[in-house]
Amino acid sequence: MDWRRIIATAILAVSTAVSAPAQQNLCDSEASFGRSDGTVFGRYCGVCHTISGKWNRIVRAPLGGLFERKQLVTGQPVNEETVRELIAKGGPSMMPGFQYTLTAGQINELVQFLKAARCPEQAPGSQQGR
Amino acid sequence: MSFRFVAFVWWSSTTLLALPGFGAGTITGSVKDAGGTTLTGVFVSAQHTGATFTTTVYSDEAGRYRFPELTAGTYTVTAHAGGFQPVRRANVAVRDAALPMDFTLQAETRPEELLKQARASEWLSSLPGTDEQKMSLGKNCGSCHHNLYHLQTVRFTKEDWVKVISAMEKIDVIGEIREPRPAYYMPWRHGTKDQIAEFLAKVQGPDSPLPNVKFFPRASGKATQAVITEYRVPRSNAVPHDVQLDSQGNAWYNDFKTDYLGKINPKTGEIKEYRLPSKPGFHPGSSNMFVGDDDTIWVNQRIAGTLTRFDPKTEKVVGRWERVGGYDRFDSKSGIAYGTNGQLDVKTGMVTRYEYKADTDGYGTAVDSRGFAFRGGIADSDIKLLNPETGDVINLLTPTPDSGPRRIQLDGDAYLWFGEWFGGKIGRVDIRSRKITEYSPSVPFAAFYEAGTDPKNHHGWAFDWRSDRLMRVDPTTGVVTEYPMPTRDVESRRTAVDTSTNPPTVWIHGAGNGTIIRVQAPL
């Protein structure tokens, strides 16, 4: 498996807004590295990640459809608990842990956002969403 | 040519009310602290309900403030300054008279609120550690394009800070990976990667206390007479990269992260935006832009490598070229665009490249009316004078070592102003004598991306990213006048001066906070 895909599978983020219009806006604005919006994802995660995978970031694979994947970069299965732990503790290579930056509530919001995060072209089951 | 033309107008009720015949008034009063002491240099900001812009004045040496003429209507008025709790008055009705409004500001003592008020260099100054350690953050972490504010919002262990810095090394200013390394990659300054991570873990680690923020002196003296208008770009994601003026006094801006081009009409407050063509598969953001002598707008989409010419009269793209390089001025009579490295004939699309006898590496570019070219040597700490005819290159080293001249601007053919990104000074070159003079701000850790010029009064203007202060230099007296901006995280890369007004109107842009800013400052 492509290492970038593995890393991407590991990382996360996003904010509280999960409505379809909000996601459309987020995916449209991903070109704005580090300043994509006022969401937790935009502020803390968008530096390295995108939902769309459209831009040539540190992690190139998209985060859209994360929970449809089989495993994280850590080798663990993808579920709320493992994703929450990865955000808090960081990944095995480049991702730092956000346990001292984000509150438990913010991390939970990110997990919930990632469960739904998907760009319009990333229909469930599509290749790009994987 | 496939050109997506999407224009929308930010046409507020305030815009209509700004037209003659709708009445006008003002607001005036005093600003004091809780002990009754008058306060100088406090921002007092007024925003008309639904307006595209906010008007700000400072309290003067007597603690008094007065707005210029305000369109009649309902306003929100806020008095604010570092170290004090802001006081906000909503639903303020302005009619045909001067409305009195006094403010008493209570001291802000909550560390987390004080941190939100602190400008980047105030934060740096308040941190524990040596100046070398603090400069290592300013000149490495802040060397690309963010202004250190993000550092204040994250906390990591040293090991994780190393990860973060390692990631930052690989990407360029728009966040994309560049192999083998980003353009304008610079060597570490004032510390190694490991030392920087260690310092960050000390000041932004898991248990680091919030700093005891110390604020710099506010605006004083003549500076308090300035009027600042902040136009909010009508997109939540706006990152204006430049601001330039056409012959009618309209302010044009591009966007570093998207394909937008915008125009502000300061007479009406109208903001109109257009979308430039994008190149599929390439980042749409643009960097350098300039206005031709025929008022056409020239925009360089940096990653896509395209140059676009936009005609404001027809509101259409009238020229688009790929991989032709960057240009700084356009002469409509000859139909030639002039750059530091060549010429572009807009009718034929032919590019004539210059050949120089020596290295011309630099960041900022400028071309004078004779075709001589200039570059700000950010890596070499020099200003390069280039003669396209002879190929000669003259290197003028700055008096300050490792000064990092970045963007530059000509005052006619006689003087050149430049901002020192690493040296923290504003410089001026007397082109004939080749003498460089540097001017220092009052605040530490300054970083000037560029310096502009008022060619009528021969003053220099430059913006310090770290303190959010616009500065005017009078080279005849050497006096530097500082104008703190009301909203933090401005990050202006361009200063454009309209000398048709009295006093001259100075425009900068807020890449960090999504604004275009007009400053009217009496001489």
Side-chain angles (χ1 to χ4, degrees):
Chain A
M1 185 179 291
D2 184 296
W3 66 270
R4 292 189 185 91
R5 180 171 296 183
I6 297 172
I7 293 175
T9 308
I11 308 194
L12 336 161
V14 182
S15 80
T16 56
V18 294
S19 66
Q23 284 186 38
Q24 171 71 64
N25 183 49
L26 176 66
C27 296
D28 284 347
S29 65
E30 283 185 334
S32 288
F33 139 72
R35 210 188 298 280
S36 55
D37 50 40
T39 65
V40 177
F41 180 82
R43 294 179 64 189
Y44 299 103
C45 313
V47 175
C48 297
H49 294 275
T50 62
I51 301 298
S52 67
K54 188 175 178 182
W55 307 104
N56 187 20
R57 295 290 168 74
I58 292 286
V59 182
R60 301 187 193 200
L63 275 182
L66 174 66
F67 278 77
E68 294 172 21
R69 297 170 193 166
K70 292 181 179 176
Q71 64 179 27
L72 299 171
V73 66
T74 56
Q76 295 177 295
V78 183
N79 57 51
E80 290 190 22
E81 185 181 347
T82 56
V83 170
R84 191 179 297 115
E85 183 179 351
L86 188 53
I87 295 172
K89 300 288 178 61
S93 54
M94 293 186 72
M95 180 174 168
F98 285 84
Q99 60 185 319
Y100 306 114
T101 296
L102 302 178
T103 64
Q106 287 175 309
I107 292 177
N108 280 332
E109 287 172 2
L110 282 173
V111 171
Q112 295 308 312
F113 183 90
L114 284 173
K115 289 183 74 174
R118 188 176 288 106
C119 293
E121 66 272 21
Q122 294 171 319
S126 73
Q127 287 304 305
Q128 189 176 356
R130 291 177 184 278
Chain B
M1 179 181 298
S2 64
F3 167 49
R4 291 182 293 127
F5 174 78
V6 180
F8 57 85
V9 181
W10 189 260
W11 183 264
S12 71
S13 57
T14 298
T15 302
L16 295 171
L17 288 169
L19 297 174
F22 286 85
T26 189
I27 306 171
T28 185
S30 65
V31 185
K32 297 178 181 177
D33 66 14
T37 303
T38 57
L39 296 173
T40 303
V42 171
F43 302 110
V44 186
S45 304
Q47 184 176 30
H48 192 293
T49 303
T52 57
F53 57 87
T54 300
T55 305
T56 297
V57 294
Y58 304 96
S59 57
D60 64 15
E61 297 290 344
R64 304 285 306 175
Y65 75 90
R66 184 182 183 90
F67 281 95
E69 190 173 85
L70 296 172
T71 304
T74 304
Y75 284 79
T76 297
V77 185
T78 309
H80 53 111
F84 294 94
Q85 297 176 25
V87 176
R88 181 171 175 268
R89 306 257 171 83
N91 300 315
V92 175
V94 173
R95 303 285 181 248
D96 292 338
L99 178 68
M101 185 177 289
D102 295 337
F103 291 93
T104 299
L105 303 187
Q106 305 291 327
E108 178 58 82
T109 57
R110 295 168 292 180
E112 63 275 16
E113 294 302 316
L114 291 167
L115 185 60
K116 291 176 186 173
Q117 296 177 344
R119 308 306 169 106
S121 47
E122 289 172 331
W123 174 69
L124 281 176
S125 296
S126 305
L127 293 175
T130 66
D131 280 354
E132 279 291 291
Q133 289 174 315
K134 297 174 187 181
M135 285 193 284
S136 75
L137 301 191
K139 298 186 182 183
N140 296 298
C141 305
S143 183
C144 283
H145 287 247
H146 78 73
N147 207 12
L148 305 176
Y149 292 117
H150 200 60
L151 289 180
Q152 302 168 24
T153 68
V154 289
R155 290 170 177 267
F156 297 117
T157 61
K158 181 187 172 185
E159 291 70 27
D160 277 356
W161 274 117
V162 170
K163 290 182 178 179
V164 171
I165 297 170
S166 299
M168 293 295 115
E169 280 188 289
K170 300 177 189 300
I171 59 177
D172 77 358
V173 295
I174 62 167
E176 294 198 334
I177 293 176
R178 296 283 174 254
E179 301 289 356
R181 56 179 45 174
Y184 299 108
Y185 181 89
M186 294 288 180
W188 295 110
R189 286 179 160 79
H190 304 282
T192 64
K193 186 163 127 181
D194 190 70
Q195 289 170 330
I196 294 167
E198 189 165 330
F199 182 56
L200 280 167
K202 179 182 178 184
V203 299
Q204 288 296 128
D207 301 315
S208 303
L210 292 175
N212 179 22
V213 175
K214 301 177 186 68
F215 293 94
F216 297 152
R218 297 184 296 273
S220 61
K222 196 109 180 170
T224 62
Q225 297 174 20
V227 178
I228 301 162
T229 309
E230 297 173 290
Y231 296 87
R232 174 68 52 189
V233 175
R235 280 178 288 114
S236 60
N237 202 34
V239 188
H241 187 278
D242 271 78
V243 62
Q244 296 280 12
L245 303 173
D246 66 21
S247 63
Q248 305 302 308
N250 296 309
W252 289 83
Y253 60 89
N254 59 348
D255 196 292
F256 195 38
K257 307 294 175 67
T258 66
D259 51 11
Y260 282 90
L261 174 68
K263 181 182 79 168
I264 297 174
N265 181 339
K267 297 182 181 73
T268 64
E270 178 192 5
I271 301 176
K272 189 169 188 176
E273 291 203 322
Y274 311 88
R275 296 191 76 170
L276 298 170
S278 285
K279 187 174 173 181
F282 288 84
H283 190 282
S286 59
S287 52
N288 196 45
M289 70 179 290
F290 69 93
V291 178
D293 68 350
D294 58 351
D295 272 353
T296 52
I297 314 299
W298 296 68
V299 182
N300 184 344
Q301 286 168 294
R302 186 175 69 96
I303 303 300
T306 59
L307 176 68
T308 301
R309 183 186 179 202
F310 180 83
D311 183 356
K313 296 186 184 74
T314 61
E315 298 185 322
K316 290 181 178 175
V317 170
V318 292
R320 193 154 188 264
W321 302 267
E322 292 201 20
R323 305 291 169 193
V324 292
Y327 296 88
D328 298 281
R329 67 192 309 164
F330 174 65
D331 176 44
S332 57
K333 288 183 180 176
S334 63
I336 302 292
Y338 294 91
T340 56
N341 288 325
Q343 302 178 11
L344 169 68
D345 185 325
V346 300
K347 292 176 183 170
T348 65
M350 287 282 292
V351 175
T352 304
R353 306 278 184 196
Y354 301 148
E355 290 187 8
Y356 293 107
K357 298 173 183 172
D359 179 40
T360 64
D361 179 67
Y363 197 94
T365 58
V367 179
D368 73 10
S369 67
R370 303 162 296 184
F372 292 123
F374 305 85
R375 301 210 71 171
I378 190 169
D380 302 325
S381 290
D382 66 0
I383 298 296
K384 293 182 173 71
L385 279 55
L386 315 177
N387 187 330
E389 290 184 7
T390 64
D392 290 336
V393 177
I394 298 171
N395 305 74
L396 303 180
L397 291 172
T398 59
T400 297
D402 195 27
S403 62
R406 205 156 187 175
R407 275 184 155 183
I408 59 182
Q409 201 172 126
L410 285 160
D411 178 355
D413 293 344
Y415 301 102
L416 181 141
W417 289 87
F418 60 93
E420 294 183 356
W421 188 242
F422 299 122
K425 297 175 184 173
I426 304 163
R428 188 183 78 147
V429 182
D430 182 327
I431 295 172
R432 180 175 295 177
S433 68
R434 297 176 184 171
K435 179 188 177 188
I436 292 179
T437 306
E438 296 174 318
Y439 304 91
S440 297
S442 71
V443 290
F445 307 115
F448 295 98
Y449 200 101
E450 66 101 56
T453 181
D454 165 2
K456 185 176 180 182
N457 299 288
H458 305 294
H459 290 169
W461 286 88
F463 185 80
D464 171 25
W465 277 38
R466 305 289 179 248
S467 66
D468 288 325
R469 293 180 178 216
L470 179 64
M471 303 194 186
R472 170 166 58 192
V473 179
D474 182 345
T476 59
T477 62
V479 171
V480 179
T481 306
E482 302 182 5
Y483 304 87
M485 291 296 107
T487 307
R488 76 176 197 169
D489 200 14
V490 176
E491 301 182 18
S492 182
R493 299 177 174 90
R494 181 64 75 196
T495 311
V497 182
D498 181 357
T499 57
S500 68
T501 61
N502 185 21
T505 303
V506 184
W507 291 83
I508 57 176
H509 64 88
N513 60 24
T515 61
I516 304 294
I517 304 168
R518 180 181 69 174
V519 179
Q520 296 164 295
L523 298 173

